[in-house]
Amino acid sequence: MKLVSIIVPVYNKCEEIKKCYDSLIKQTYKNIEIIFVYDETTDNILDLLNSFLDDRVVIVSMKNRSLMDARGVGFNKSHGEYICFVDSNDTIDEDYISKLVMILEKYGSNISMGRISRYCYHPIIKNITLKSRRRPNLIDLEKRKEYLPVLLSSMVGKLFKREMLELKNFKYNSNEYIYLLYIKSRYISVCNDCIYHNHFEKTSEHYSFDNLICDVDSWEKAEIKMFNTSIIMVLNKSKLKEDDILEIVFGTQTKKLSYRTAMSLNLLEVKK
């Protein structure tokens, strides 16, 4: 049984972190380490973390760093052959790790992912629960390029082989880095159970009337918009040449088109 490192950046309120912790220690997959990376400027968080008595818990401090910085710090302290990231206001099912490990090893992929349930609050229609769409159990992104812009643009809800991640690449933001990882991996294993639960805070910008995504179609459109922006940023920051990205994403027939032109022609068709 390979060691899985669960990395949790901590910025949230104590009650949310406790719920997250409770879901982590109940994992049926026992060979885990749980790395909490907390910001020293956050009040009362260390006292709470020190109350977590499970001997698999590791506590790491930092100061005034970004979310991706925190994930990079946690990765640098981790020892697992497999890595996953959980946000401290979220929870996971007790078989979350076991299911992601199982499908990753079954299909021989570098990344496995589960469906995400997103719990939101709307000022008029109150509580909203969204579930990400079902996907094939194994996606070959070279053959099924249409899936790239609609795979979720977040580091959470996934399990990575350690060798997929490089500390230097945590300079990217989350949405940019995940597309680099998708492209590098090629094969993505998918668990179609909703095993990761994303809880938006009521103080979050996602709770504003104008910004809240209330249905799965809007969620998917937002993911495509994020993909468009993120890939262009990746081109600007990475050593990958634009032709390389075009080749991977669109294939040889669009080799001579710029990325923006390719997107404007709607060459990526969304599959539901």
Side-chain angles (χ1 to χ4, degrees):
M1 182 178 285
K2 295 180 178 179
L3 178 65
V4 176
S5 298
I6 305 173
I7 298 168
V8 188
V10 175
Y11 296 95
N12 301 96
K13 297 178 182 178
C14 292
E15 59 269 23
E16 295 166 339
I17 299 166
K18 182 64 167 60
K19 290 178 183 177
C20 177
Y21 168 75
D22 288 343
S23 74
L24 298 179
I25 62 170
K26 292 176 182 176
Q27 291 302 296
T28 57
Y29 190 99
K30 300 302 182 184
N31 193 23
I32 61 175
E33 62 175 2
I34 305 167
I35 303 173
F36 287 102
V37 184
Y38 80 98
D39 192 320
E40 294 175 358
T41 61
T42 307
D43 294 337
N44 303 320
I45 292 298
L46 183 58
D47 289 342
L48 174 65
L49 296 178
N50 283 331
S51 73
F52 297 159
L53 301 179
D54 194 295
D55 59 9
R56 297 169 296 178
V57 170
V58 178
I59 300 172
V60 182
S61 66
M62 62 174 194
K63 193 170 184 179
N64 294 322
R65 306 282 288 277
S66 70
L67 175 62
M68 282 299 284
D69 285 336
R71 288 171 176 161
V73 169
F75 176 67
N76 197 38
K77 296 290 185 180
S78 68
H79 302 91
E81 293 184 60
Y82 298 146
I83 307 290
C84 75
F85 301 96
V86 175
D87 286 345
S88 58
N89 57 310
D90 296 341
T91 57
I92 57 178
D93 285 357
E94 64 181 17
D95 55 359
Y96 174 81
I97 297 295
S98 62
K99 284 184 174 179
L100 292 188
V101 169
M102 186 271 290
I103 62 170
L104 184 130
E105 294 180 347
K106 177 181 179 179
Y107 294 109
S109 58
N110 294 307
I111 301 174
S112 59
M113 60 188 295
R115 291 173 67 206
I116 291 180
S117 295
R118 175 176 286 184
Y119 302 93
C120 313
Y121 174 83
H122 192 283
I124 294 178
I125 57 179
K126 305 303 180 183
N127 294 323
I128 300 169
T129 301
L130 301 179
K131 295 182 179 181
S132 56
R133 293 194 189 279
R134 293 179 178 274
R135 305 295 182 199
N137 295 125
L138 181 64
I139 300 173
D140 180 350
L141 287 173
E142 286 195 11
K143 294 180 179 178
R144 302 299 302 272
K145 296 175 173 59
E146 70 272 14
Y147 282 109
L148 186 57
V150 293
L151 292 176
L152 296 179
S153 59
S154 172
M155 299 290 286
V156 302
K158 301 170 182 70
L159 184 75
F160 304 91
K161 285 186 177 178
R162 185 180 191 87
E163 58 265 30
M164 288 292 297
L165 303 171
E166 297 181 60
L167 186 60
K168 64 180 182 180
N169 285 335
F170 284 85
K171 65 184 177 182
Y172 295 98
N173 70 40
S174 173
N175 300 322
E176 295 163 6
Y177 191 21
I178 191 59
Y179 291 117
L180 273 178
L181 293 171
Y182 286 152
I183 291 168
K184 181 179 178 182
S185 174
R186 176 178 172 179
Y187 296 102
I188 312 293
S189 301
V190 179
C191 170
N192 277 302
D193 298 329
C194 287
I195 53 178
Y196 189 99
H197 307 286
N198 179 212
H199 303 269
F200 281 129
E201 298 179 68
K202 293 180 181 176
T203 55
S204 167
E205 63 178 4
H206 296 281
Y207 279 92
S208 73
F209 188 84
D210 294 330
N211 293 338
L212 184 63
I213 294 172
C214 300
D215 60 83
V216 175
D217 286 338
S218 297
W219 187 1
E220 197 161 79
K221 289 177 182 177
E223 292 293 336
I224 295 171
K225 183 178 180 180
M226 184 67 69
F227 169 79
N228 296 349
T229 303
S230 297
I231 286 292
I232 290 172
M233 294 301 294
V234 166
L235 285 171
N236 291 337
K237 291 183 180 181
S238 73
K239 294 181 180 179
L240 288 173
K241 296 179 180 178
E242 184 169 351
D243 278 356
D244 294 333
I245 295 286
L246 288 168
E247 174 66 20
I248 294 167
V249 177
F250 297 110
T252 54
Q253 73 273 21
T254 58
K255 184 94 171 189
K256 295 182 179 180
L257 295 178
S258 72
Y259 185 81
R260 291 169 181 80
T261 301
M263 286 310 304
S264 69
L265 294 175
N266 295 317
L267 293 173
L268 290 176
E269 179 184 350
V270 177
K271 295 289 185 180
K272 296 184 178 181

